Amino acid sequence: MKLPWLARRSMLILMGIFFLVPFAIRGARLALEQVSNDVQDWIPSSAATSGDWAWFNRHFGSEPFVLVSWQGCTGAADDARFRMFLDKLVPELPPSLRGSDSEHPTIPVDADATDRTETRDLTESEHSVGDASNRPSVTVDERLGLYVRQFRMTAEEAADAKKFVGNEWNLAAAGDVHDNWAGENEKWLRGGQGDWFFLHPSGELYRRSAKHWWSRLWEWSYQRLYGGVPLKGDLIARFGQRDGDWYHQDPRRLEARLFQSAITGPGLLHGLTHESQGVLHDDVAEARRRLAGILFGPDEKQTCIVLTLTEAGARDYHRVVGRGMLGQPPGKLLEVAAACGLSTPTRLSVFPATLERSFLKSPKPSGPQLRLGGPAVDRVAIDQESQITLLRLVGLCGMVGCVM
């Protein structure tokens, strides 16, 4: 009996299908990672509200911002969580700029040239931008009983921030999963263009050359068989042994600066009622009334923190408030919130509570839930909902394909 045409070629067909499956999965993952939404794109350009928004931006401009709060966020002098949250937003100062050691980190003049080792000293402004030492001193207003802290980068500091190696390459810590991948106790970071960077224990930062997937597969196989791959890359910066050890202990210190300013209700209230400079120094009740509904709740106690973003933060909102889907690390604010004992939402969402079910598992809440708002949060929430919907569709398509 002669078999049908498909039956005679069934093995070849199955081999072709299983050969193409990994490429299909890879393509689906890349498509999911490139999901990006902007609420303004959903509004027709002919709509009156769209014209009003464009006019407002032309005349007044706009800054991307995130509003942060939680139940019990009062900014009182004994509000330890409020104090810790703000303190963690200010970058730390490297040891060489804190002590008497004159050693300064260095960076190659031409970072793309692998055969040149000429270096120059990083200036203090390039390395310490955004540090607490450049900010107003932390104070507690005993008269109001509030913890006062807020900061804003000056124009000079914002310009210098671009020269900081973390901002220049838009670095983000990759977690400890990849650490010591080559067996040299190196720490890994990701760049804004998907490049990989590694910090060597000697205090040198390298950018690993981009390679094709088959080259990475060979290196992975070599590592599994022989226990390591020689590290090669372009020299980006030399921090010196002292600063290098400090950065190596916590590579997150090399991350791009995401926040340009932090404005708090207690900080503004303190400024309005300051004895020597406040315009309402003799009328605290009026100052509270003016701020009620803006930076204070109706009870005039519940407050919030308004964070404006740097260029690095505005380029990728997921770095700021992302949940960490598809293997990506969680956003900076969620990371800080977890360190402060706040529970973070399973998903950021602007949709009704009936749509809040998720296949993602989150740890049991350990404290008040973090509350976030602002255009950046809206965009990330829509992106994540889109990714979850596409994941379901990809799974459904895979099931249909297998059945066929």
Side-chain angles (χ1 to χ4, degrees), residues 261-273:
S261 69
I263 302 172
T264 67
L268 278 186
L269 181 61
H270 175 80
L272 285 173
T273 60

Side-chain angles (χ1 to χ4, degrees), residues 31-42 313-326 328 347-351 359-360 375-392:
L32 290 173
E33 290 178 348
Q34 295 172 1
V35 170
S36 179
N37 293 279
D38 189 347
V39 178
Q40 298 177 32
D41 295 337
W42 296 17
R315 279 196 299 266
D316 188 357
Y317 292 141
H318 290 264
R319 293 270 301 272
V320 181
V321 294
R323 179 58 189 160
M325 296 177 58
L326 299 175
Q328 299 297 320
R347 281 157 65 187
L348 302 173
S349 182
V350 295
F351 299 102
F359 60 88
L360 300 173
V377 179
D378 294 341
R379 287 187 58 174
V380 172
I382 296 173
D383 287 351
Q384 291 183 347
E385 292 293 336
S386 301
Q387 289 176 339
I388 291 173
T389 301
L390 289 175
L391 276 173
R392 293 181 179 136

Side-chain angles (χ1 to χ4, degrees), residues 150-167:
Q150 53 188 17
F151 63 83
R152 173 176 285 276
M153 280 187 185
T154 64
E156 293 78 10
E157 288 174 331
D160 288 336
K162 297 179 181 179
K163 303 176 185 177
F164 173 63
V165 65
N167 284 47

Side-chain angles (χ1 to χ4, degrees), residues 64-117:
F65 70 91
V66 178
L67 188 146
V68 183
S69 189
W70 58 87
Q71 188 64 37
C73 176
T74 62
D78 58 351
D79 190 348
R81 188 173 278 123
F82 183 81
R83 179 194 303 254
M84 183 185 300
F85 194 97
L86 282 170
D87 288 348
K88 285 185 175 294
L89 296 179
V90 182
E92 301 174 71
L93 192 67
S96 63
L97 299 180
R98 278 183 278 150
S100 58
D101 193 344
S102 61
E103 177 189 10
H104 286 273
T106 56
I107 188 170
V109 173
D110 185 359
D112 291 327
T114 58
D115 57 344
R116 295 178 61 181
T117 57

